[in-house]
Amino acid sequence: MQMEDMIIISVDDHVSEPADMFDQHLPAELKDRAPKLKSVDGADYWVYEGIVLPNTGLNAVVGRPKEEYGMEPQGYAEMRPGNYDIKARIDDMSVNGILASICFPTVCTMDGSIFSRSPDRTLNLRIIQAYNDWQIDEWAGAFPGRIIPLAILPLWDAELAAEEVKRVAKKGCHAITFPDNPANKGFASIHDKFWEPLWKACNDNKVVINCHIGTGSEPRHPSDLSPMNAWITAMPISIANAAADWLHLEPLLRYPDMKVALSEGSIGWIPYLLERAEFTNEQHIWTNVDWKGKSPTEVFREHFLCCFIEDNFGLKNYQDVGEDIIMYECDYPHSDCLWPEAPERLWQGLKDLPENVINKITHENVMREYSFDPISILGRENCTVGALRAQAAHVDTSVKSTSGLKPGEGKGVVTSGHVTAMFASMMPKETP
Amino acid sequence: MQMEDMIIISVDDHVSEPADMFDQHLPAELKDRAPKLKSVDGADYWVYEGIVLPNTGLNAVVGRPKEEYGMEPQGYAEMRPGNYDIKARIDDMSVNGILASICFPTVCTMDGSIFSRSPDRTLNLRIIQAYNDWQIDEWAGAFPGRIIPLAILPLWDAELAAEEVKRVAKKGCHAITFPDNPANKGFASIHDKFWEPLWKACNDNKVVINCHIGTGSEPRHPSDLSPMNAWITAMPISIANAAADWLHLEPLLRYPDMKVALSEGSIGWIPYLLERAEFTNEQHIWTNVDWKGKSPTEVFREHFLCCFIEDNFGLKNYQDVGEDIIMYECDYPHSDCLWPEAPERLWQGLKDLPENVINKITHENVMREYSFDPISILGRENCTVGALRAQAAHVDTSVKSTSGLKPGEGKGVVTSGHVTAMFASMMPKETP
């Protein structure tokens, strides 16, 4: 097997949704109330029911020189079209050897929660359904076999959420985005019986719960003076706190097909956490946790999915992670993305593993867990890195300089305080 | 090499300080203002300048049946004498095959910070010095070669802290306890120039900065309804956030002998974090971090020390952690402690490693880094697990039942909410 033979599916990318996304998915009387993309001095904002969402391109820096990476793209004009245009996205995937992709939302934040924060819940639900129809029919529908659609949910009512899970599953969507810790975002704890209908619906319809880092259990910035790279370093592993919480979720023992994906959490620390969970539950029997005869490691391997951008230590220890729960992610268009050289970098970590394990990690685990089969649609010979790149020879991958805010004015070490202040400065003084 | 041949030094244990600890270390006119151990209905409290510290035996459950573990021992009568009596402690160490131990404080919390929170700073400094004299002269002094003394510092003034480091170093103390993230505890960020005198003093006097989990970067409880074991599982790895922050500390590049120990942080996730730090600093050059030609991994291996209670995944990957930075910890008397079978459990993880690596991990790394040589004091033949246990044949290790608060009334799964409420209930209604 060679690098060009890999079939790569990415389970964590991002979309900056296009301005016209709601046009085809809402009746005329509701279109005026859909989120609108507005512009102030070149900065774009989504506005929904008075909620202003700046930073429409959070970290969407793919295609820039590394010196111009950052977290600040404010306007679509600063971004590569692959951020918002599906045809350009498919091109950017192909030139990067990526067959298929899960795209997390931006308009409603990564966990979709913005549309659960407005008081008009009748409207919220319609917008959520319209969002999902856009993901499924337009974003994923335009190029069959290339996008795994990802739905968002009403988080104020688990019965409604369960109904939406059933609705999107009927349309072929087997993935939802969900806060890694909803209790930290103002919603019910995952351990609240409140969520029972949702867990059952996900189990019964084989819908994977995707919990992206930064949606509840993210680390605080260590201090305003801390170099920004400290926080960036710690960001993925911080989902360990949420992972431990989900691992102790009793419904997992009742719903054999309930699956939780730790999106952008990486894998190299997983074996440590599993051993720690075993140790904890062996020592701390005073807490009366009942594992129903299973071990924490068994429960994790049966119910969790993990992914990585680059994690060669984790890959070396793939047997301790679990070869059936590891998936790949590209993180396009964020600054950890290795576009357009993802296959070259991925191959370094994979090339010494058995071929059947490489296939599991690159695509077979995803296909099984997300009920998604691009190979039957496109033909295996058209799915490999080599084939996709051959189709994308026209794509210009040269780096392009763009302007942008400079936290800390570009001088000295950029700190957490600089970036926090930059984000605060992005909020417009008046509602756009 | 056999289990009995190991020489084991533990770098993380705890002491519930005895009531008379300040008697010999303060002049008569200050004795009345020293922290006092007071009792209300069998619960003991340290009281200092109006600050009440309940839970004097935080998690001090060693010797109980596991069903009675918990975080609630409130009174010294509920604890094994080894918690507060040095002779009993040495016996408990010997019967557990532990040659020497670092004991974190309880009276002033694990990072010593209580004595920096009171307004009378002249008094605070005297109390801090008296505390340190007690650790060095009494607790460690009673049995030479058995206790590595650990000093606390004034955290409001880094010049004073540096002076105290120099003072205790002259007395043979080469370890301080320090918050893993002082900014989260109301003190200056580690990146603040404020601390420069302290870093220099630690470097110049070879004094190790010991950052215990739970002293700034600990995880929030995921939710009130979360099973307590979720939080316990995630507790050690949560120091990854602080580790990433310290790793990006510029003074490390100027002070070659500055050392930071991640106490109770464990080791199995370290290789992942180092790879992540490399990746972050390769991708995020826009933040202008200057590593002066070193890599994050090199800086970590030169300046950090890690320890584990049980972490066989980490030990299997000791080369990726760094065989010169791994140490062992016992965590006596807390509920993760494997007393009195620590050697049996440790040997399972070590027995397949090369003998020179076993020696580094069990004692040589500690001896070098903490300028501590018990072997020259006691003779090598008296330092092994086998020799220590032979001296401790009289020690009664049978489990003893004790009463205690029952979070959640002992029924059903104990949650974070139960434990949080229990801690709140420990605070006396009136100042003892």
Side-chain angles (χ1 to χ4, degrees):
Chain A
M1 188 175 191
Q2 302 295 318
M3 182 193 79
E4 291 75 15
D5 304 324
M6 289 193 292
I7 294 176
I8 308 175
I9 300 179
S10 162
V11 293
D12 174 28
D13 299 294
H14 301 269
V15 53
S16 290
E17 294 86 352
D20 65 355
M21 68 169 296
F22 290 103
D23 289 359
Q24 297 181 42
H25 307 288
L26 283 172
E29 73 272 17
L30 288 179
K31 276 188 190 168
D32 280 355
R33 298 188 65 190
K36 295 282 181 303
L37 190 65
K38 300 196 175 182
S39 187
V40 178
D41 300 331
D44 293 324
Y45 302 86
W46 282 102
V47 183
Y48 174 62
E49 295 282 283
I51 302 171
V52 178
L53 200 75
N55 199 222
T56 50
L58 172 70
N59 202 216
V61 295
V62 70
R64 290 185 181 189
K66 272 188 188 173
E67 290 77 4
E68 296 179 15
Y69 277 15
M71 311 189 80
E72 87 296 350
Q74 290 188 282
Y76 282 40
E78 292 179 62
M79 303 173 206
R80 225 178 134 80
N83 277 277
Y84 49 83
D85 177 282
I86 185 61
K87 185 167 181 316
R89 169 63 68 101
I90 298 295
D91 277 349
D92 279 358
M93 287 163 58
S94 296
V95 80
N96 197 27
I98 305 292
L99 172 61
S101 161
I102 292 178
C103 299
F104 281 82
T106 301
V107 58
C108 48
T109 69
M110 283 188 291
D111 55 12
S113 61
I114 290 291
F115 300 149
S116 290
R117 295 192 185 282
S118 180
D120 186 341
R121 290 175 164 176
T122 308
L123 177 67
N124 291 343
L125 182 60
R126 295 299 297 274
I127 299 296
I128 287 166
Q129 291 173 327
Y131 183 92
N132 293 339
D133 290 339
W134 172 80
Q135 267 259 357
I136 299 165
D137 302 338
E138 282 198 67
W139 190 250
F143 291 84
R146 302 302 299 272
I147 300 285
I148 300 174
L150 180 72
I152 63 176
L153 294 181
L155 300 174
W156 67 88
D157 183 327
E159 292 283 2
L160 283 181
E163 287 307 311
E164 185 61 7
V165 161
K166 292 176 205 168
R167 191 184 76 84
V168 299
K170 275 194 195 132
K171 296 182 72 168
C173 174
H174 291 271
I176 56 165
T177 177
F178 193 81
D180 70 4
N181 186 336
N184 282 350
K185 304 283 295 268
F187 304 105
S189 163
I190 59 171
H191 302 280
D192 196 317
K193 286 195 173 68
F194 172 89
W195 292 113
E196 190 72 20
L198 177 60
W199 307 152
K200 184 173 190 316
C202 290
N203 177 80
D204 294 351
N205 296 278
K206 298 207 173 187
V207 169
V208 179
I209 301 163
N210 295 268
C211 298
H212 198 285
I213 60 168
T215 60
S217 76
E218 61 273 22
R220 284 195 280 179
H221 288 278
S223 71
D224 278 351
L225 294 175
S226 296
M228 190 59 193
N229 285 12
W231 188 78
I232 296 172
T233 296
M235 192 69 186
I237 201 172
S238 70
I239 205 172
N241 300 329
D245 196 32
W246 284 92
L247 180 58
H248 289 81
L249 186 68
E250 181 273 339
L252 293 177
L253 302 173
R254 291 185 279 110
Y255 293 123
D257 289 329
M258 187 176 163
K259 301 278 180 164
V260 181
L262 305 173
S263 309
E264 205 168 332
S266 219
I267 58 172
W269 52 270
I270 297 286
Y272 159 77
L273 195 78
L274 296 182
E275 186 178 350
R276 172 68 189 163
E278 300 282 347
F279 181 89
T280 297
N281 283 282
E282 177 193 312
Q283 287 292 103
H284 297 267
I285 59 175
W286 61 278
T287 56
N288 305 320
V289 176
D290 182 357
W291 291 85
K292 308 279 188 198
K294 299 212 165 175
S295 74
T297 301
E298 285 172 324
V299 172
F300 193 88
R301 295 254 172 81
E302 290 170 8
H303 293 280
F304 286 76
L305 301 165
C306 310
C307 60
F308 66 95
I309 300 168
E310 184 164 272
D311 189 337
N312 293 339
F313 176 73
L315 288 177
K316 186 176 81 170
N317 290 285
Y318 73 89
Q319 291 171 307
D320 289 306
V321 180
E323 66 189 56
D324 294 317
I325 64 170
I326 303 175
M327 310 181 295
Y328 175 72
E329 67 158 297
C330 188
D331 202 29
Y332 181 103
H334 288 178
S335 49
D336 280 353
C337 176
L338 297 167
W339 186 90
E341 292 172 345
E344 282 75 10
R345 296 285 288 263
L346 176 57
W347 186 243
Q348 290 308 309
L350 288 176
K351 64 183 163 48
D352 297 326
L353 306 191
E355 188 167 322
N356 73 314
V357 175
I358 296 175
N359 287 332
K360 284 182 178 188
I361 292 173
T362 52
H363 62 285
E364 288 177 0
N365 289 340
V366 190
M367 290 173 58
R368 180 187 68 247
E369 298 297 339
Y370 289 78
S371 311
F372 177 76
D373 186 357
I375 294 174
S376 70
I377 297 170
L378 300 166
R380 181 174 296 271
E381 69 281 9
N382 298 312
C383 294
T384 63
V385 169
L388 292 165
R389 282 183 161 171
Q391 297 163 20
H394 61 286
V395 179
D396 178 7
T397 60
S398 58
V399 294
K400 290 194 176 52
S401 182
T402 53
S403 62
L405 297 176
K406 292 265 177 284
E409 299 181 344
K411 294 172 203 154
V413 175
V414 178
T415 65
S416 282
H418 291 143
V419 172
T420 306
M422 183 196 72
F423 277 124
S425 79
M426 286 182 181
M427 190 57 78
K429 289 195 179 62
E430 293 179 29
T431 306
Chain B
M1 187 176 193
Q2 303 295 319
M3 182 194 78
E4 291 74 14
D5 304 324
M6 288 192 293
I7 294 175
I8 308 176
I9 301 178
S10 162
V11 293
D12 173 28
D13 299 295
H14 302 267
V15 54
S16 290
E17 294 85 352
D20 65 355
M21 68 170 294
F22 291 102
D23 288 0
Q24 297 181 42
H25 308 288
L26 282 172
E29 72 272 18
L30 288 180
K31 275 188 191 168
D32 280 353
R33 299 188 65 190
K36 295 283 180 303
L37 190 65
K38 301 196 175 182
S39 187
V40 179
D41 299 332
D44 293 323
Y45 302 85
W46 281 104
V47 184
Y48 174 63
E49 295 283 281
I51 302 171
V52 177
L53 200 75
N55 199 220
T56 50
L58 171 69
N59 201 217
V61 294
V62 71
R64 290 186 182 190
K66 272 189 189 173
E67 291 76 5
E68 296 179 16
Y69 277 15
M71 309 187 83
E72 87 297 350
Q74 289 186 283
Y76 281 41
E78 293 179 61
M79 303 174 209
R80 228 180 132 78
N83 277 277
Y84 48 84
D85 178 282
I86 185 61
K87 185 168 180 318
R89 170 63 67 100
I90 297 295
D91 277 349
D92 278 358
M93 287 164 55
S94 295
V95 81
N96 197 26
I98 305 293
L99 172 61
S101 161
I102 293 178
C103 299
F104 282 81
T106 301
V107 57
C108 48
T109 71
M110 284 189 288
D111 56 11
S113 61
I114 290 291
F115 300 148
S116 290
R117 295 192 186 284
S118 181
D120 186 341
R121 290 176 165 176
T122 307
L123 177 67
N124 291 343
L125 183 60
R126 295 300 296 274
I127 299 295
I128 288 166
Q129 291 173 329
Y131 183 92
N132 293 339
D133 289 340
W134 172 81
Q135 267 260 356
I136 300 165
D137 300 339
E138 281 198 68
W139 190 250
F143 291 84
R146 301 302 298 272
I147 301 284
I148 301 174
L150 181 71
I152 62 175
L153 294 181
L155 299 174
W156 68 88
D157 184 327
E159 292 282 1
L160 283 181
E163 287 307 311
E164 185 61 7
V165 162
K166 291 176 207 168
R167 191 183 77 85
V168 299
K170 274 194 196 132
K171 295 182 72 168
C173 174
H174 290 273
I176 56 165
T177 177
F178 192 81
D180 70 2
N181 186 337
N184 283 350
K185 304 283 296 267
F187 303 105
S189 163
I190 58 170
H191 301 280
D192 196 317
K193 286 196 173 66
F194 172 88
W195 293 113
E196 191 70 22
L198 176 60
W199 307 153
K200 184 172 189 316
C202 289
N203 176 80
D204 294 351
N205 295 278
K206 297 206 174 189
V207 169
V208 178
I209 301 163
N210 294 267
C211 299
H212 197 286
I213 60 168
T215 59
S217 76
E218 61 272 23
R220 285 195 281 180
H221 289 278
S223 71
D224 278 351
L225 295 175
S226 296
M228 191 57 194
N229 286 12
W231 187 77
I232 296 172
T233 296
M235 193 68 186
I237 201 173
S238 70
I239 206 172
N241 300 329
D245 196 33
W246 284 92
L247 180 57
H248 288 82
L249 185 67
E250 181 273 340
L252 292 178
L253 302 173
R254 291 185 281 111
Y255 292 123
D257 290 328
M258 187 175 163
K259 301 278 180 165
V260 180
L262 306 173
S263 307
E264 205 168 332
S266 219
I267 60 172
W269 51 271
I270 297 286
Y272 159 77
L273 194 78
L274 296 182
E275 186 178 350
R276 172 68 189 164
E278 299 283 345
F279 182 89
T280 298
N281 283 283
E282 178 193 312
Q283 286 291 103
H284 296 267
I285 58 174
W286 60 278
T287 55
N288 305 320
V289 175
D290 183 357
W291 291 85
K292 309 278 188 200
K294 297 211 166 177
S295 74
T297 301
E298 285 172 324
V299 172
F300 194 88
R301 297 252 172 81
E302 290 170 7
H303 293 281
F304 287 76
L305 300 165
C306 309
C307 61
F308 66 96
I309 299 168
E310 184 164 271
D311 189 336
N312 293 339
F313 177 73
L315 288 178
K316 186 176 82 169
N317 289 285
Y318 74 87
Q319 290 170 308
D320 289 307
V321 180
E323 65 190 58
D324 294 317
I325 64 170
I326 302 175
M327 309 180 296
Y328 175 71
E329 67 159 295
C330 188
D331 202 29
Y332 181 104
H334 288 179
S335 49
D336 281 354
C337 176
L338 297 166
W339 186 91
E341 293 174 345
E344 283 74 11
R345 296 285 287 262
L346 176 58
W347 186 244
Q348 290 307 309
L350 287 177
K351 63 183 164 47
D352 297 326
L353 306 192
E355 189 168 322
N356 72 314
V357 174
I358 295 175
N359 287 332
K360 284 183 178 188
I361 291 173
T362 52
H363 63 286
E364 288 177 1
N365 289 339
V366 190
M367 289 172 60
R368 180 186 68 247
E369 298 297 340
Y370 288 78
S371 310
F372 177 76
D373 186 357
I375 294 174
S376 70
I377 297 171
L378 300 166
R380 181 175 296 269
E381 70 281 9
N382 298 312
C383 294
T384 64
V385 169
L388 291 165
R389 281 183 161 171
Q391 297 164 20
H394 61 286
V395 179
D396 179 7
T397 60
S398 58
V399 293
K400 291 193 175 52
S401 182
T402 53
S403 63
L405 297 177
K406 291 265 177 282
E409 298 179 346
K411 295 170 200 154
V413 175
V414 177
T415 65
S416 283
H418 291 142
V419 172
T420 306
M422 183 195 71
F423 277 124
S425 79
M426 287 182 181
M427 189 58 76
K429 288 194 182 62
E430 293 179 29
T431 305

